[in-house]
Amino acid sequence: MKRPKTVVGWREWICLPDLGVDRIKAKIDTGARTSAIHAYEIRPFERDGERFVRFSLHPVQRHATPVVACEARVEDERIVTSSNGEREKRYVIETRIELGEEVWPIEMTLTNRDEMGFRMLLGRRAVRRRFVVDPGGSFKLSGRPKTKPSTKVKSKPKAKVSEKTGHKKLRAKARLA
């Protein structure tokens, strides 16, 4: 007898342990075939005859910090058609994903999603035969976090003198909670 599929919401908190991402909010997008993550400073290179890529990502939507430097083996390069109909050549990597108690490998494309609402899309290939998506629910499996990952200030604000005005401005250092 088959075990019942786990229900996930249309958005969930996930972990990408191979990339050093403890938590990123992902949109579960059954309209997208392949998963995608916001990546920039994408630089291909070779190591021992294999193709790799270095890239940076911002795991927190609408924030430029923290920055996570990543490196992964290139699985493929594909032409992907985005939701607005634009075609783009993207690097494809494979990485492990954690959602709830499950850990499994997925293919993911690297693209600039800076203007998009979510830094990551989890496409239908990644969730197929594993989950049922509740389009009216959020964080069904991962739970709603008590704090935002990078906006909770862990240190005291420091005064900095503005070069333009000469006035002191308070700046706080924030780090991933």
CSV table of all heavy atoms in Angstrom, one decimal, residues 67-91:
chain,number,residue,atom,x,y,z
A,67,VAL,N,25.0,37.5,2.0
A,67,VAL,CA,25.4,37.0,0.7
A,67,VAL,C,26.1,35.6,1.0
A,67,VAL,O,26.9,35.4,1.9
A,67,VAL,CB,26.5,37.9,0.1
A,67,VAL,CG1,27.0,37.2,-1.2
A,67,VAL,CG2,25.9,39.2,-0.2
A,68,VAL,N,25.6,34.6,0.2
A,68,VAL,CA,26.2,33.2,0.4
A,68,VAL,C,27.0,32.9,-0.9
A,68,VAL,O,26.4,33.0,-2.0
A,68,VAL,CB,25.1,32.2,0.6
A,68,VAL,CG1,25.7,30.8,0.7
A,68,VAL,CG2,24.2,32.5,1.8
A,69,ALA,N,28.3,32.6,-0.8
A,69,ALA,CA,29.1,32.3,-1.9
A,69,ALA,C,29.0,30.8,-2.1
A,69,ALA,O,29.1,30.0,-1.1
A,69,ALA,CB,30.6,32.6,-1.6
A,70,CYS,N,28.7,30.3,-3.3
A,70,CYS,CA,28.4,28.9,-3.6
A,70,CYS,C,29.3,28.4,-4.7
A,70,CYS,O,29.8,29.2,-5.5
A,70,CYS,CB,27.0,28.8,-4.0
A,70,CYS,SG,25.8,29.4,-2.8
A,71,GLU,N,29.4,27.1,-4.8
A,71,GLU,CA,30.2,26.4,-5.8
A,71,GLU,C,29.5,25.1,-6.1
A,71,GLU,O,29.1,24.4,-5.1
A,71,GLU,CB,31.6,26.2,-5.4
A,71,GLU,CG,32.5,25.7,-6.4
A,71,GLU,CD,33.9,25.6,-5.9
A,71,GLU,OE1,34.6,26.7,-5.7
A,71,GLU,OE2,34.4,24.5,-5.7
A,72,ALA,N,29.3,24.8,-7.4
A,72,ALA,CA,28.6,23.5,-7.7
A,72,ALA,C,29.1,23.0,-9.0
A,72,ALA,O,29.5,23.8,-9.9
A,72,ALA,CB,27.1,23.7,-7.7
A,73,ARG,N,29.0,21.7,-9.2
A,73,ARG,CA,29.3,21.1,-10.5
A,73,ARG,C,28.1,21.4,-11.5
A,73,ARG,O,27.0,21.3,-11.1
A,73,ARG,CB,29.5,19.6,-10.4
A,73,ARG,CG,30.0,18.9,-11.6
A,73,ARG,CD,30.5,17.5,-11.4
A,73,ARG,NE,29.5,16.7,-10.8
A,73,ARG,CZ,28.7,15.9,-11.6
A,73,ARG,NH1,28.7,16.0,-12.9
A,73,ARG,NH2,27.8,15.2,-11.0
A,74,VAL,N,28.5,21.8,-12.7
A,74,VAL,CA,27.5,22.0,-13.8
A,74,VAL,C,27.0,20.7,-14.3
A,74,VAL,O,27.8,19.9,-14.8
A,74,VAL,CB,28.1,22.9,-14.9
A,74,VAL,CG1,27.1,23.0,-16.0
A,74,VAL,CG2,28.5,24.2,-14.4
A,75,GLU,N,25.7,20.5,-14.2
A,75,GLU,CA,25.1,19.3,-14.8
A,75,GLU,C,24.7,19.5,-16.2
A,75,GLU,O,24.7,18.5,-17.0
A,75,GLU,CB,23.8,18.9,-14.0
A,75,GLU,CG,24.0,18.6,-12.5
A,75,GLU,CD,24.8,17.3,-12.4
A,75,GLU,OE1,24.5,16.3,-13.2
A,75,GLU,OE2,25.6,17.2,-11.4
A,76,ASP,N,24.3,20.7,-16.6
A,76,ASP,CA,23.9,21.0,-18.0
A,76,ASP,C,23.8,22.5,-18.2
A,76,ASP,O,23.9,23.2,-17.2
A,76,ASP,CB,22.5,20.3,-18.1
A,76,ASP,CG,22.1,20.1,-19.6
A,76,ASP,OD1,22.9,20.4,-20.5
A,76,ASP,OD2,20.9,19.7,-19.8
A,77,GLU,N,23.5,22.9,-19.4
A,77,GLU,CA,23.1,24.2,-19.7
A,77,GLU,C,21.9,24.1,-20.6
A,77,GLU,O,21.9,23.3,-21.5
A,77,GLU,CB,24.2,25.0,-20.5
A,77,GLU,CG,25.4,25.4,-19.7
A,77,GLU,CD,26.4,26.2,-20.5
A,77,GLU,OE1,26.0,27.3,-21.0
A,77,GLU,OE2,27.5,25.8,-20.7
A,78,ARG,N,20.8,24.8,-20.2
A,78,ARG,CA,19.5,24.7,-20.9
A,78,ARG,C,19.0,26.0,-21.3
A,78,ARG,O,19.1,27.0,-20.5
A,78,ARG,CB,18.5,23.9,-20.1
A,78,ARG,CG,18.9,22.5,-19.8
A,78,ARG,CD,17.8,21.8,-19.0
A,78,ARG,NE,18.3,20.5,-18.5
A,78,ARG,CZ,18.1,20.0,-17.3
A,78,ARG,NH1,17.2,20.6,-16.5
A,78,ARG,NH2,18.6,18.9,-16.9
A,79,ILE,N,18.2,26.0,-22.3
A,79,ILE,CA,17.4,27.2,-22.7
A,79,ILE,C,16.1,27.0,-21.9
A,79,ILE,O,15.4,26.0,-22.0
A,79,ILE,CB,17.1,27.3,-24.2
A,79,ILE,CG1,18.4,27.3,-25.0
A,79,ILE,CG2,16.2,28.5,-24.5
A,79,ILE,CD1,19.2,28.5,-24.8
A,80,VAL,N,15.8,28.0,-21.1
A,80,VAL,CA,14.6,28.0,-20.2
A,80,VAL,C,13.7,29.2,-20.6
A,80,VAL,O,14.2,30.3,-20.8
A,80,VAL,CB,14.9,28.1,-18.7
A,80,VAL,CG1,13.7,28.1,-17.9
A,80,VAL,CG2,15.8,26.9,-18.3
A,81,THR,N,12.4,28.9,-20.8
A,81,THR,CA,11.4,29.9,-21.0
A,81,THR,C,10.8,30.4,-19.7
A,81,THR,O,10.2,29.6,-19.0
A,81,THR,CB,10.3,29.5,-22.0
A,81,THR,OG1,10.9,29.0,-23.2
A,81,THR,CG2,9.4,30.6,-22.4
A,82,SER,N,11.0,31.6,-19.4
A,82,SER,CA,10.4,32.2,-18.1
A,82,SER,C,8.9,32.4,-18.2
A,82,SER,O,8.3,32.3,-19.3
A,82,SER,CB,11.1,33.5,-17.7
A,82,SER,OG,10.8,34.5,-18.7
A,83,SER,N,8.3,32.7,-17.1
A,83,SER,CA,6.9,33.0,-17.0
A,83,SER,C,6.4,34.1,-17.9
A,83,SER,O,5.3,34.2,-18.4
A,83,SER,CB,6.4,33.2,-15.6
A,83,SER,OG,7.1,34.3,-15.1
A,84,ASN,N,7.3,35.1,-18.2
A,84,ASN,CA,7.0,36.2,-19.1
A,84,ASN,C,7.3,35.9,-20.6
A,84,ASN,O,7.2,36.8,-21.4
A,84,ASN,CB,7.6,37.5,-18.6
A,84,ASN,CG,9.1,37.4,-18.7
A,84,ASN,OD1,9.7,36.5,-19.2
A,84,ASN,ND2,9.8,38.5,-18.2
A,85,GLY,N,7.7,34.7,-20.9
A,85,GLY,CA,7.9,34.2,-22.2
A,85,GLY,C,9.4,34.4,-22.7
A,85,GLY,O,9.7,34.0,-23.9
A,86,GLU,N,10.2,35.0,-21.9
A,86,GLU,CA,11.6,35.2,-22.4
A,86,GLU,C,12.4,33.9,-22.3
A,86,GLU,O,12.3,33.2,-21.3
A,86,GLU,CB,12.3,36.3,-21.5
A,86,GLU,CG,11.8,37.7,-21.8
A,86,GLU,CD,12.5,38.7,-21.0
A,86,GLU,OE1,13.7,38.5,-20.6
A,86,GLU,OE2,11.9,39.8,-20.7
A,87,ARG,N,13.3,33.7,-23.3
A,87,ARG,CA,14.1,32.5,-23.3
A,87,ARG,C,15.5,32.9,-22.8
A,87,ARG,O,16.0,33.9,-23.3
A,87,ARG,CB,14.1,31.9,-24.7
A,87,ARG,CG,12.7,31.3,-25.1
A,87,ARG,CD,12.6,30.9,-26.5
A,87,ARG,NE,13.6,30.0,-27.0
A,87,ARG,CZ,13.5,28.7,-26.8
A,87,ARG,NH1,12.5,28.1,-26.2
A,87,ARG,NH2,14.5,27.9,-27.3
A,88,GLU,N,16.1,32.1,-22.0
A,88,GLU,CA,17.4,32.4,-21.4
A,88,GLU,C,18.2,31.1,-21.3
A,88,GLU,O,17.6,30.1,-20.8
A,88,GLU,CB,17.2,33.0,-20.0
A,88,GLU,CG,18.4,33.3,-19.2
A,88,GLU,CD,18.1,33.7,-17.8
A,88,GLU,OE1,17.1,33.4,-17.2
A,88,GLU,OE2,19.0,34.5,-17.3
A,89,LYS,N,19.5,31.1,-21.6
A,89,LYS,CA,20.4,30.0,-21.4
A,89,LYS,C,20.8,30.0,-19.9
A,89,LYS,O,21.3,31.1,-19.5
A,89,LYS,CB,21.6,30.1,-22.3
A,89,LYS,CG,22.4,28.8,-22.3
A,89,LYS,CD,23.5,28.9,-23.4
A,89,LYS,CE,24.1,27.5,-23.6
A,89,LYS,NZ,25.1,27.6,-24.7
A,90,ARG,N,20.6,28.9,-19.2
A,90,ARG,CA,21.0,28.9,-17.8
A,90,ARG,C,21.8,27.7,-17.4
A,90,ARG,O,21.7,26.6,-18.1
A,90,ARG,CB,19.7,28.8,-16.9
A,90,ARG,CG,18.8,29.9,-17.0
A,90,ARG,CD,17.6,29.7,-16.1
A,90,ARG,NE,16.5,30.7,-16.3
A,90,ARG,CZ,15.4,30.7,-15.7
A,90,ARG,NH1,15.1,29.7,-14.8
A,90,ARG,NH2,14.5,31.6,-15.9
A,91,TYR,N,22.7,27.8,-16.4
A,91,TYR,CA,23.4,26.7,-15.9
A,91,TYR,C,22.4,25.9,-15.0
A,91,TYR,O,21.6,26.4,-14.3
A,91,TYR,CB,24.6,27.2,-15.0
A,91,TYR,CG,25.7,27.7,-15.8
A,91,TYR,CD1,25.9,29.1,-15.8
A,91,TYR,CD2,26.6,26.9,-16.5
A,91,TYR,CE1,27.0,29.7,-16.6
A,91,TYR,CE2,27.6,27.4,-17.2
A,91,TYR,CZ,27.8,28.8,-17.3
A,91,TYR,OH,28.8,29.3,-18.0
